[in-house]
Amino acid sequence: IEDKKYRTGLAAVMGIPVNAAITLYNGVVAAVAGSPWFGTLCAYYLILGIMRAYWIAQHLEETGLAPGRRFRIKKTPERKIRRRYGILFITMAFVLGGAVILLIHLEGGKSYPGYTIYVAAAYAFTKSILAVWNTVSAGRKKEQSWIIIRSIGLADAAVSILSLQTAMFSSFSSGDEAFRSLMNGITGAVVSLIILLIGVFYLAASRRKVES
Protein backbone atom coordinates (compact mmCIF):
# COMPACT_ATOMS: atom_id res chain seq x y z
CA ILE A 1 0.00 0.00 0.00
CA GLU A 2 2.82 2.41 0.87
CA ASP A 3 5.19 1.46 -1.98
CA LYS A 4 4.21 3.73 -4.87
CA LYS A 5 6.66 2.21 -7.34
CA TYR A 6 5.41 -1.30 -6.60
CA ARG A 7 1.79 -0.18 -7.08
CA THR A 8 2.65 1.45 -10.39
CA GLY A 9 4.44 -1.65 -11.65
CA LEU A 10 1.69 -3.97 -10.46
CA ALA A 11 -1.00 -1.92 -12.20
CA ALA A 12 1.02 -1.97 -15.43
CA VAL A 13 1.49 -5.75 -15.22
CA MET A 14 -2.20 -6.36 -14.54
CA GLY A 15 -3.09 -4.32 -17.61
CA ILE A 16 -1.01 -6.47 -19.98
CA PRO A 17 -3.34 -9.54 -20.23
CA VAL A 18 -6.38 -7.27 -20.58
CA ASN A 19 -4.58 -5.31 -23.28
CA ALA A 20 -3.62 -8.55 -25.07
CA ALA A 21 -7.20 -9.86 -24.96
CA ILE A 22 -8.62 -6.62 -26.40
CA THR A 23 -5.95 -6.58 -29.12
CA LEU A 24 -6.73 -10.18 -30.09
CA TYR A 25 -10.48 -9.55 -30.12
CA ASN A 26 -10.22 -6.49 -32.35
CA GLY A 27 -7.77 -8.25 -34.64
CA VAL A 28 -10.05 -11.27 -35.09
CA VAL A 29 -13.12 -9.11 -35.74
CA ALA A 30 -11.15 -6.97 -38.21
CA ALA A 31 -10.01 -10.07 -40.11
CA VAL A 32 -13.40 -11.80 -40.13
CA ALA A 33 -15.55 -8.75 -40.90
CA GLY A 34 -12.99 -6.90 -43.01
CA SER A 35 -13.46 -3.88 -40.75
CA PRO A 36 -10.88 -1.07 -40.98
CA TRP A 37 -12.25 0.39 -37.71
CA PHE A 38 -11.47 -2.74 -35.71
CA GLY A 39 -8.16 -2.94 -37.56
CA THR A 40 -7.14 0.50 -36.28
CA LEU A 41 -8.26 -0.44 -32.76
CA CYS A 42 -6.15 -3.60 -32.96
CA ALA A 43 -3.11 -1.57 -34.04
CA TYR A 44 -3.69 0.97 -31.25
CA TYR A 45 -3.98 -1.63 -28.48
CA LEU A 46 -0.99 -3.53 -29.89
CA ILE A 47 1.20 -0.42 -29.66
CA LEU A 48 -0.18 0.36 -26.20
CA GLY A 49 0.65 -3.17 -25.03
CA ILE A 50 4.18 -3.01 -26.44
CA MET A 51 4.79 0.30 -24.67
CA ARG A 52 3.64 -1.04 -21.31
CA ALA A 53 5.46 -4.36 -21.64
CA TYR A 54 8.73 -2.66 -22.58
CA TRP A 55 8.50 -0.29 -19.62
CA ILE A 56 7.85 -3.21 -17.25
CA ALA A 57 10.83 -5.11 -18.65
CA GLN A 58 13.07 -2.12 -17.99
CA HIS A 59 11.81 -1.54 -14.43
CA LEU A 60 11.36 -5.01 -12.93
CA GLU A 61 13.89 -4.49 -10.16
CA GLU A 62 12.88 -0.91 -9.39
CA THR A 63 9.24 -1.89 -8.91
CA GLY A 64 10.16 -4.91 -6.80
CA LEU A 65 8.09 -7.22 -8.99
CA ALA A 66 11.01 -9.50 -9.78
CA PRO A 67 13.87 -8.93 -7.34
CA GLY A 68 17.12 -10.82 -7.52
CA ARG A 69 19.81 -11.48 -10.12
CA ARG A 70 17.82 -14.20 -11.75
CA PHE A 71 15.44 -11.73 -13.36
CA ARG A 72 17.89 -8.99 -14.16
CA ILE A 73 17.53 -7.49 -17.60
CA LYS A 74 20.24 -5.37 -19.13
CA LYS A 75 19.16 -1.76 -18.77
CA THR A 76 18.86 0.22 -21.97
CA PRO A 77 20.41 3.72 -21.89
CA GLU A 78 17.84 6.37 -21.01
CA ARG A 79 18.30 8.24 -24.26
CA LYS A 80 17.55 5.13 -26.33
CA ILE A 81 14.44 4.43 -24.26
CA ARG A 82 13.16 7.93 -24.84
CA ARG A 83 13.87 7.75 -28.57
CA ARG A 84 12.00 4.45 -28.86
CA TYR A 85 9.03 5.80 -26.94
CA GLY A 86 9.04 8.91 -29.07
CA ILE A 87 8.73 6.74 -32.18
CA LEU A 88 6.00 4.61 -30.58
CA PHE A 89 3.95 7.64 -29.51
CA ILE A 90 4.22 9.19 -32.97
CA THR A 91 3.20 5.89 -34.57
CA MET A 92 0.22 5.71 -32.20
CA ALA A 93 -0.78 9.26 -33.20
CA PHE A 94 -0.88 8.29 -36.88
CA VAL A 95 -2.90 5.15 -36.12
CA LEU A 96 -5.41 7.27 -34.21
CA GLY A 97 -5.42 9.70 -37.10
CA GLY A 98 -6.67 6.84 -39.27
CA ALA A 99 -9.37 6.08 -36.71
CA VAL A 100 -10.44 9.74 -36.72
CA ILE A 101 -10.78 9.70 -40.51
CA LEU A 102 -13.09 6.70 -40.17
CA LEU A 103 -15.13 8.52 -37.50
CA ILE A 104 -15.50 11.56 -39.74
CA HIS A 105 -16.97 9.31 -42.39
CA LEU A 106 -19.26 7.78 -39.73
CA GLU A 107 -17.47 4.45 -39.84
CA GLY A 108 -16.78 2.99 -36.41
CA GLY A 109 -17.23 4.25 -32.88
CA LYS A 110 -18.45 2.66 -29.68
CA SER A 111 -21.88 2.25 -28.14
CA TYR A 112 -23.08 1.02 -24.75
CA PRO A 113 -26.48 -0.53 -24.02
CA GLY A 114 -28.84 1.14 -21.56
CA TYR A 115 -27.41 2.77 -18.47
CA THR A 116 -23.93 1.28 -18.96
CA ILE A 117 -23.05 4.51 -20.79
CA TYR A 118 -23.03 6.28 -17.40
CA VAL A 119 -20.68 3.67 -15.94
CA ALA A 120 -18.39 4.09 -18.95
CA ALA A 121 -18.48 7.87 -18.50
CA ALA A 122 -17.57 7.63 -14.81
CA TYR A 123 -14.72 5.27 -15.64
CA ALA A 124 -13.35 7.47 -18.45
CA PHE A 125 -13.43 10.68 -16.38
CA THR A 126 -11.91 9.01 -13.31
CA LYS A 127 -9.20 7.50 -15.47
CA SER A 128 -8.45 10.88 -17.05
CA ILE A 129 -8.27 12.76 -13.74
CA LEU A 130 -5.92 10.15 -12.25
CA ALA A 131 -3.76 10.15 -15.40
CA VAL A 132 -3.32 13.93 -15.29
CA TRP A 133 -2.64 13.89 -11.54
CA ASN A 134 -0.04 11.11 -11.81
CA THR A 135 1.69 12.78 -14.75
CA VAL A 136 1.91 16.15 -12.96
CA SER A 137 3.07 14.44 -9.75
CA ALA A 138 5.83 12.52 -11.52
CA GLY A 139 6.91 15.70 -13.33
CA ARG A 140 7.16 17.71 -10.09
CA LYS A 141 9.29 15.02 -8.49
CA LYS A 142 11.43 14.85 -11.64
CA GLU A 143 11.08 11.08 -11.76
CA GLN A 144 12.24 10.98 -15.36
CA SER A 145 12.14 7.21 -15.86
CA TRP A 146 8.65 7.07 -14.31
CA ILE A 147 7.14 9.88 -16.33
CA ILE A 148 7.03 7.51 -19.31
CA ILE A 149 4.47 5.13 -17.79
CA ARG A 150 2.44 8.16 -16.72
CA SER A 151 2.56 9.49 -20.29
CA ILE A 152 1.28 6.15 -21.55
CA GLY A 153 -1.61 6.38 -19.08
CA LEU A 154 -2.31 9.95 -20.18
CA ALA A 155 -2.48 8.93 -23.84
CA ASP A 156 -4.75 6.00 -23.00
CA ALA A 157 -7.04 8.27 -20.98
CA ALA A 158 -7.30 10.75 -23.87
CA VAL A 159 -8.34 7.95 -26.21
CA SER A 160 -10.92 6.81 -23.63
CA ILE A 161 -12.48 10.29 -23.71
CA LEU A 162 -12.67 10.11 -27.51
CA SER A 163 -14.31 6.67 -27.31
CA LEU A 164 -16.76 7.97 -24.70
CA GLN A 165 -17.72 10.89 -26.91
CA THR A 166 -18.50 8.60 -29.85
CA ALA A 167 -20.59 6.40 -27.54
CA MET A 168 -22.50 9.39 -26.14
CA PHE A 169 -23.31 10.64 -29.63
CA SER A 170 -24.48 7.14 -30.51
CA SER A 171 -26.74 7.02 -27.43
CA PHE A 172 -28.05 10.59 -27.23
CA SER A 173 -27.62 12.16 -30.68
CA SER A 174 -30.85 13.29 -32.34
CA GLY A 175 -29.57 12.21 -35.74
CA ASP A 176 -27.54 15.23 -36.90
CA GLU A 177 -24.79 13.19 -38.52
CA ALA A 178 -22.89 16.23 -39.84
CA PHE A 179 -22.55 17.71 -36.34
CA ARG A 180 -21.56 14.34 -34.86
CA SER A 181 -18.94 13.86 -37.55
CA LEU A 182 -17.55 17.37 -36.96
CA MET A 183 -17.28 16.98 -33.18
CA ASN A 184 -15.68 13.53 -33.42
CA GLY A 185 -13.23 14.94 -35.94
CA ILE A 186 -12.28 17.88 -33.71
CA THR A 187 -11.88 15.78 -30.55
CA GLY A 188 -10.02 13.07 -32.45
CA ALA A 189 -7.65 15.61 -33.98
CA VAL A 190 -6.93 17.11 -30.54
CA VAL A 191 -6.25 13.67 -29.02
CA SER A 192 -3.99 12.69 -31.93
CA LEU A 193 -2.13 16.01 -31.65
CA ILE A 194 -1.58 15.54 -27.90
CA ILE A 195 -0.10 12.08 -28.44
CA LEU A 196 1.99 13.36 -31.36
CA LEU A 197 3.41 16.14 -29.17
CA ILE A 198 4.26 13.62 -26.45
CA GLY A 199 6.18 11.63 -29.05
CA VAL A 200 8.01 14.72 -30.28
CA PHE A 201 8.86 15.61 -26.66
CA TYR A 202 10.50 12.23 -26.09
CA LEU A 203 12.43 12.41 -29.36
CA ALA A 204 13.70 15.85 -28.34
CA ALA A 205 14.52 14.60 -24.83
CA SER A 206 16.56 11.74 -26.31
CA ARG A 207 18.94 14.31 -27.78
CA ARG A 208 19.88 15.82 -24.45
CA LYS A 209 21.18 14.46 -21.18
CA VAL A 210 18.38 13.60 -18.75
CA GLU A 211 18.29 12.35 -15.21
CA SER A 212 17.17 8.73 -14.77
Side-chain angles (χ1 to χ4, degrees):
I1 294 175
E2 296 179 359
D3 192 335
K4 186 177 180 180
K5 290 186 176 181
Y6 182 80
R7 292 201 315 270
T8 302
L10 186 61
V13 168
M14 292 174 65
I16 292 296
V18 176
N19 208 127
I22 296 175
T23 302
L24 180 62
Y25 168 78
N26 285 295
V28 171
V29 174
V32 173
S35 170
W37 168 254
F38 282 99
T40 56
L41 288 183
C42 177
Y44 162 72
Y45 283 109
L46 178 61
I47 296 171
L48 187 65
I50 291 172
M51 294 168 82
R52 284 175 170 160
Y54 183 61
W55 185 88
I56 292 168
Q58 290 293 317
H59 295 83
L60 278 176
E61 286 189 74
E62 293 175 64
T63 57
L65 293 170
R69 296 181 181 179
R70 186 182 191 178
F71 296 96
R72 280 187 182 174
I73 296 175
K74 185 178 180 181
K75 287 282 289 184
T76 303
E78 194 72 23
R79 291 185 180 183
K80 285 187 177 181
I81 291 176
R82 290 180 175 278
R83 183 166 63 248
R84 290 170 183 174
Y85 272 103
I87 294 171
L88 286 169
F89 273 115
I90 290 173
T91 302
M92 179 185 284
F94 280 104
V95 169
L96 288 173
V100 172
I101 292 173
L102 292 174
L103 287 173
I104 291 174
H105 290 86
L106 301 175
E107 299 176 23
K110 287 190 175 182
S111 61
Y112 297 93
Y115 291 102
T116 56
I117 182 67
Y118 298 105
V119 178
Y123 170 76
F125 283 116
T126 301
K127 184 178 182 179
S128 300
I129 292 171
L130 289 175
V132 172
W133 172 266
N134 288 331
T135 302
V136 172
S137 178
R140 285 177 177 175
K141 295 178 180 179
K142 298 183 179 180
E143 299 172 328
Q144 299 294 342
S145 62
W146 292 80
I147 292 177
I148 291 176
I149 193 65
R150 301 308 187 187
S151 298
I152 295 172
L154 186 63
D156 189 25
V159 175
S160 293
I161 292 295
L162 174 60
S163 297
L164 175 63
Q165 177 176 292
T166 64
M168 292 183 72
F169 275 125
S170 178
S171 298
F172 304 114
S173 177
S174 60
D176 189 347
E177 294 184 351
F179 177 74
R180 187 172 80 179
S181 177
L182 175 63
M183 293 306 298
N184 285 338
I186 292 174
T187 304
V190 171
V191 169
S192 298
L193 181 60
I194 290 172
I195 295 175
L196 179 64
L197 290 175
I198 292 174
V200 171
F201 167 80
Y202 279 116
L203 282 181
S206 70
R207 295 177 178 274
R208 64 177 183 270
K209 186 177 180 180
V210 293
E211 298 177 5
S212 60

